[in-house]
Amino acid sequence: MSSTGGSRRHSNMTTPGNSKRNSNIVNVEGEEEEDHDYQIHSHQTPDPLLSENPLPGLKRHDSLDMESAKIQGHHGHHGTKDWGVILRLAFQSIGVVYGDIGTSPLYVFSSTFTNGIKHEDDILGVLSLIFYTITLIPVIKYVMIVLHANDNGDGGTFALYSKLCRNAKVGLLPSAQAEDREVSNFELELPGNANTISSRVKKSLENSEFAKYCLLFGAMLGTSMVIGDGILTPSISVLSAVSGLKEATDSMTEGRIVVVSVIILVILFMVQRYGTDRVGYSFAPIICVWFALISGIGVFNFFKFDPSVAKALNPKYIVDYFKRNNRDAWISLGGVVLAITGTEAMFADLGHFTVKSIQISMGCVVYPALISAYSGQASWLRKHQNDVADTFYKSAPDALYWPVFVVAVMAAIIASQAMISGTFSIIKQSLSLGCFPRVSVIHTSDKYEGQVFIPEMNYLLMIGCVLVTVTFKTTENIGHAYGIAVIFAETLTSSFMVVIMLVIWKTNALLVLLFVLVISSTEYVYLSSVLYKFGDGGYLPFSFAVVLMFIMCTWNYVYRAKYNFELDNKVSREVIKDIVTDSSISHMGGLAIFYSELAHGIPPIFKHYIENVPALHSVLVFVSIKSLPVSRVAPEERFLFRRVKPNDLYVFRCVVRYGYTDVRNEKESFEKILIERLKEFVESDYGVLEERQQGRVSDEDVAKLDQAWRSGVVHLVGEHEIVSRAGSSIGKKFLIDYAYNFMKKNLRQSHSVFEIPHKRMLKVGMTYEL
């Protein structure tokens, strides 16, 4: 297809849509010959790091310095030093973050000793494994290292990927612009702070397309595993808690326990629509009671049955355990790894809290409670080896059975709730970065940041949980799948951390090597163990991951191909001028807003619209909705304007920038905010360029904008039909014509993102051949 804008760019770089363009022009918003005709309006000052290679014609004024990244208002409570706030957040985090890892004592010993206890000292070996695993991975790896790799206070796989994309040119988002680096949260690297290894690794990543795709693939795979975790966590947590009814009555068969678990799961998912904004306040006391119960029972059993289990602090018992059991000991690691379930959630949910608050809650409450609980169970097992299958409930004193059961069920529900809401949050992140199909994201709270509900995914998660519970029936069977999802996500996080240590932190190579040898190698040993159970249910998370990866990769592939198609066929400035001044085109009052994802120019759908409807409004605004690889964009930095010259055309371009955790449905209408910011831009523009305007004053243009706004606003949204071009391969035809279009037709439309009023919305159809 020939270029709609009359000019196609050529180079030796092939885009996903097989269209060619020069990658070096990506960071300029518009063609090179156009740049001197645009002015930029943004609340930022020029970055001194950019002065060595300025962009021609880009004027920056009325702005905030890069130092604004240090302003507390930009990051909520993440930079707070108020100990009252920190302690309150630490208390709330107990209810949100630790439900999953806190309920692990329900099933760890029973999942580890699936064939019974063969030797008394095997209990000490497993307890030693549990102790050092919890110490090494949740405490040392996550609390002491990974939490510090947060992305402006946010955590998770995509947060690590976004952080890398900003500090090295490894991102694959086609809409990147030079101005994006001036957003206060972007964290440009300062010169002179580099070492040889760091520079080599960074250069290798930036020069390798394969490495870039591997990083994106890893981020998607990590997301897929967390979503799979969101299916398995409710199943195993609720099922293990409800199984305690077997101790109360003999009439509770396995089938009835499954039915009760399914009922609880269905109710849990049905109430998601009412929001999770009170999770921290309402659930923290319950989880605190849970930790108090399991630690208290643990201490009681420890002293009552066998205090000598304290010998498990000696790692010699791990060595002896492997000598006695060989292959069986290695297989049993799949049960031990369940002691660290939910650890990834500690990092993923960081956006709601602070690093210090997470560290306090883990060090002062969670870690001591878990060690006490496992030590008490091990002490009890030394005297009751034949009851290992029901360790948790049988080890509790009879007088505390019902309180423990009730709190266990509540803790399991809370653990499930936290994982479900975490799944929604990570889907929102991937959605914002063009790696997930457009789904409906409902923000359930005005008070708490990041609390979202996704109806489509909620129903899919519910169906998945019910099917898993009904199919596998026992925690032992689900545990095989659960372990893979948990440890696979953690190994991916470790891989990203190695790159961050080398490229961003510039950590000494010996320390990085130590991290790999101690932590990463331990995780890979656990991964090898859980993969052994692949045929016994371990295939489940991989099945989820394959389906989700196919969806995410297909959407991202077509998203980039479509963007590059628009970039190659964008409308040039000369064509815009000809269209606006064409006497055969009717002109009317009012303001027209054209929406697209193209941040580097005017999309081809505008020319297509004029060819079919030869009429124009008095003011035209081309709005590009864009997500940056940052967690948040400050409201004063959100809008970026340029004006198409000459000024009497009254044609503007606007890029609206969001971070991947930003709320897009503001309390005020998007239309009103856009017009107000546009008037500010016009006033600012004339305020700086007054001497060059030869007597023109901004009041005239502001009055024209007001008049056009009062005359009526029309929102024009592109309704693209994406098809594969003639001669495409069978695989490409399947991805574009069937897979992508099926997802597009069954999911949310783009106009719903900003709640555009239907009475003033006009859809413009155009076929894109990719």
Side-chain angles (χ1 to χ4, degrees):
M1 178 177 176
S2 62
S3 173
T4 309
S7 63
R8 176 185 284 275
R9 295 193 270 180
H10 300 276
S11 79
N12 57 1
M13 178 179 175
T14 304
T15 68
N18 285 336
S19 57
K20 294 181 180 293
R21 66 181 177 87
N22 189 335
S23 61
N24 293 325
I25 305 179
V26 171
N27 65 337
V28 180
E29 202 179 307
E31 294 176 307
E32 287 180 324
E33 68 268 21
E34 297 177 36
D35 281 333
H36 66 278
D37 288 319
Y38 294 118
Q39 297 298 330
I40 181 175
H41 174 70
S42 177
H43 297 265
Q44 307 138 16
T45 51
D47 179 50
L49 299 182
L50 300 178
S51 59
E52 297 178 0
N53 186 24
L55 297 173
L58 298 188
K59 307 291 183 182
R60 298 172 178 84
H61 30 88
D62 188 24
S63 57
L64 295 176
D65 188 80
M66 286 288 290
E67 292 297 316
S68 63
K70 299 179 181 178
I71 296 176
Q72 182 176 331
H74 279 212
H75 307 286
H77 49 240
H78 293 287
T80 183
K81 295 182 179 180
D82 186 336
W83 277 98
V85 174
I86 292 172
L87 292 176
R88 186 172 69 251
L89 290 171
F91 173 72
Q92 294 174 25
S93 70
I94 295 173
V96 175
V97 176
Y98 300 111
D100 196 359
I101 193 172
T103 53
S104 295
L106 285 167
Y107 45 76
V108 168
F109 274 110
S110 60
S111 298
T112 303
F113 293 112
T114 53
N115 297 320
I117 300 173
K118 299 176 181 178
H119 191 282
E120 186 181 45
D121 282 351
D122 286 352
I123 299 171
L124 296 179
V126 169
L127 178 61
S128 187
L129 279 169
I130 292 171
F131 171 76
Y132 285 105
T133 301
I134 294 176
T135 303
L136 187 63
I137 296 179
V139 177
I140 295 178
K141 175 189 168 182
Y142 279 91
V143 172
M144 298 177 65
I145 301 175
V146 175
L147 289 184
H148 294 286
N150 65 83
D151 183 23
N152 291 309
D154 288 281
T157 309
F158 262 105
L160 295 177
Y161 176 70
S162 297
K163 193 178 184 75
L164 277 172
C165 288
R166 297 201 312 279
N167 287 273
K169 298 175 183 178
V170 296
L172 291 172
L173 287 177
S175 58
Q177 295 170 280
E179 292 87 354
D180 298 341
R181 292 175 291 180
E182 295 184 2
V183 172
S184 58
N185 289 350
F186 215 86
E187 294 179 343
L188 278 173
E189 180 183 11
L190 295 175
N193 183 25
N195 57 47
T196 305
I197 296 177
S198 171
S199 301
R200 288 178 180 174
V201 173
K202 183 176 180 180
K203 186 175 181 180
S204 299
L205 292 174
E206 292 178 340
N207 293 335
S208 171
E209 287 297 310
F210 177 75
K212 293 177 182 179
Y213 279 100
C214 283
L215 288 172
L216 178 61
F217 184 84
M220 290 182 179
L221 185 57
T223 300
S224 301
M225 284 296 176
V226 172
I227 295 173
D229 201 0
I231 295 175
L232 296 171
T233 295
S235 300
I236 193 170
S237 298
V238 173
L239 192 61
S240 58
V242 175
S243 64
L245 286 173
K246 290 188 297 184
E247 301 301 314
T249 173
D250 295 334
S251 62
M252 284 303 294
T253 61
E254 183 180 273
R256 290 179 179 177
I257 288 174
V258 169
V259 171
V260 173
S261 300
V262 167
I263 292 172
I264 292 175
L265 288 170
V266 171
I267 294 173
L268 174 64
F269 281 100
M270 294 305 290
V271 300
Q272 290 297 313
R273 66 180 68 249
Y274 299 107
T276 58
D277 60 328
R278 295 181 180 86
V279 169
Y281 289 111
S282 303
F283 290 173
I286 299 173
I287 296 297
C288 283
V289 170
W290 168 253
F291 280 126
L293 274 174
I294 62 173
S295 60
I297 293 172
V299 172
F300 174 79
N301 288 336
F302 175 82
F303 287 106
K304 180 179 179 180
F305 293 102
D306 190 359
S308 68
V309 295
K311 294 184 296 184
L313 289 172
N314 188 345
K316 168 184 176 294
Y317 288 96
I318 297 177
V319 177
D320 294 341
Y321 177 64
F322 276 91
K323 285 181 178 179
R324 280 193 303 272
N325 298 279
N326 299 317
R327 182 169 167 270
D328 289 339
W330 170 70
I331 295 172
S332 72
L333 291 177
V336 176
V337 78
L338 298 181
I340 56 173
T341 59
T343 303
E344 189 70 22
M346 182 166 53
F347 181 47
D349 287 328
L350 180 61
H352 304 259
F353 307 102
T354 64
V355 172
K356 194 165 290 184
S357 64
I358 296 287
Q359 291 174 334
I360 290 172
S361 56
M362 168 58 86
C364 298
V365 178
V366 180
Y367 182 70
L370 290 175
I371 298 303
S372 298
Y374 287 119
S375 299
Q377 290 184 12
S379 181
W380 182 86
L381 281 173
R382 296 271 282 185
K383 307 297 183 182
H384 307 84
Q385 296 179 22
N386 295 328
D387 293 326
V388 68
D390 298 304
T391 300
F392 180 79
Y393 282 107
K394 287 190 175 181
S395 65
D398 294 339
L400 292 178
Y401 168 77
W402 283 110
V404 168
F405 172 76
V406 172
V407 177
V409 172
M410 295 176 72
I413 292 173
I414 293 169
S416 305
Q417 169 67 55
M419 199 65 225
I420 293 167
S421 60
T423 302
F424 291 156
S425 296
I426 200 168
I427 290 174
K428 180 180 179 294
Q429 291 182 17
S430 55
L431 170 68
S432 299
L433 296 177
C435 297
F436 203 85
R438 190 176 289 113
V439 291
S440 177
V441 178
I442 300 172
H443 296 266
T444 58
S445 173
D446 293 329
K447 186 176 181 181
Y448 303 112
E449 253 180 69
Q451 296 291 348
V452 296
F453 169 65
I454 303 176
E456 297 94 334
M457 289 306 301
N458 187 61
Y459 288 115
L460 290 176
L461 288 174
M462 181 179 71
I463 293 170
C465 282
V466 170
L467 289 177
V468 167
T469 305
V470 171
T471 304
F472 289 89
K473 292 184 174 62
T474 66
T475 56
E476 178 187 338
N477 294 331
I478 298 176
H480 298 155
Y482 196 28
I484 290 182
V486 169
I487 198 64
F488 208 101
E490 292 178 0
T491 54
L492 285 170
T493 297
S494 293
S495 300
F496 273 105
M497 281 304 304
V498 169
V499 180
I500 286 175
M501 287 178 182
L502 290 173
V503 174
I504 302 176
W505 292 354
K506 301 173 178 60
T507 308
N508 186 291
L510 292 177
L511 293 177
V512 177
L513 182 62
L514 182 65
F515 177 88
V516 172
L517 291 178
V518 177
I519 294 177
S520 296
S521 60
T522 300
E523 291 174 335
Y524 281 116
V525 170
Y526 277 116
L527 181 62
S528 67
S529 174
V530 295
L531 287 175
Y532 177 79
K533 296 287 187 178
F534 187 86
D536 297 330
Y539 59 84
L540 199 61
F542 281 104
S543 301
F544 293 148
V546 167
V547 173
L548 289 166
M549 285 295 294
F550 175 77
I551 292 172
M552 295 173 75
C553 289
T554 299
W555 189 269
N556 182 260
Y557 169 81
V558 179
Y559 167 81
R560 289 186 289 109
K562 180 166 70 76
Y563 190 96
N564 289 322
F565 175 89
E566 290 185 336
L567 188 61
D568 288 337
N569 295 280
K570 69 179 184 179
V571 183
S572 66
R573 179 179 60 85
E574 289 76 12
V575 173
I576 290 290
K577 185 176 180 180
D578 292 342
I579 289 174
V580 176
T581 58
D582 190 343
S583 59
S584 64
I585 296 177
S586 301
H587 290 261
M588 66 185 84
L591 187 148
I593 302 176
F594 288 80
Y595 293 87
S596 76
E597 293 179 336
L598 184 65
H600 296 87
I602 294 175
I605 202 165
F606 172 66
K607 186 177 180 182
H608 178 73
Y609 165 75
I610 294 298
E611 290 171 349
N612 291 274
V613 185
L616 281 177
H617 293 73
S618 57
V619 178
L620 303 178
V621 182
F622 294 90
V623 175
S624 171
I625 311 304
K626 177 179 179 182
S627 292
L628 300 186
V630 296
S631 56
R632 300 174 188 85
V633 176
E636 64 269 20
E637 299 174 320
R638 192 173 311 287
F639 289 82
L640 190 67
F641 286 98
R642 286 188 178 183
R643 186 167 191 170
V644 178
K645 301 293 183 178
N647 284 358
D648 55 10
L649 295 179
Y650 289 98
V651 178
F652 301 89
R653 286 168 50 205
C654 173
V655 178
V656 188
R657 303 177 293 185
Y658 289 89
Y660 53 77
T661 63
D662 277 329
V663 177
R664 295 197 179 187
N665 292 328
E666 286 90 350
K667 295 177 182 178
E668 290 187 87
S669 71
F670 175 76
E671 175 187 306
K672 181 180 179 182
I673 297 173
L674 175 67
I675 301 301
E676 289 177 351
R677 293 300 174 88
L678 179 56
K679 288 192 288 186
E680 290 176 8
F681 160 70
V682 171
E683 293 172 348
S684 168
D685 188 18
Y686 278 107
V688 175
L689 305 176
E690 187 174 0
E691 295 181 1
R692 292 178 9 196
Q693 298 305 319
Q694 298 179 353
R696 290 184 59 89
V697 292
S698 63
D699 292 344
E700 297 177 13
D701 285 349
V702 172
K704 176 111 178 178
L705 288 175
D706 281 329
Q707 182 182 356
W709 188 18
R710 288 194 299 269
S711 298
V713 178
V714 176
H715 301 263
L716 294 105
V717 180
E719 190 74 7
H720 310 111
E721 181 183 358
I722 310 296
V723 297
S724 58
R725 67 174 61 182
S728 298
S729 64
I730 296 176
K732 186 175 180 180
K733 285 183 177 180
F734 172 75
L735 287 178
I736 296 176
D737 297 343
Y738 298 99
Y740 175 80
N741 281 307
F742 174 80
M743 289 186 283
K744 182 175 179 290
K745 290 175 182 177
N746 288 278
L747 294 172
R748 197 185 192 202
Q749 300 300 309
S750 58
H751 60 79
S752 60
V753 172
F754 294 100
E755 298 180 350
I756 298 171
H758 289 275
K759 292 182 179 180
R760 292 190 282 122
M761 179 177 65
L762 179 63
K763 293 184 178 181
V764 183
M766 183 177 179
T767 300
Y768 284 8
E769 295 183 358
L770 304 181

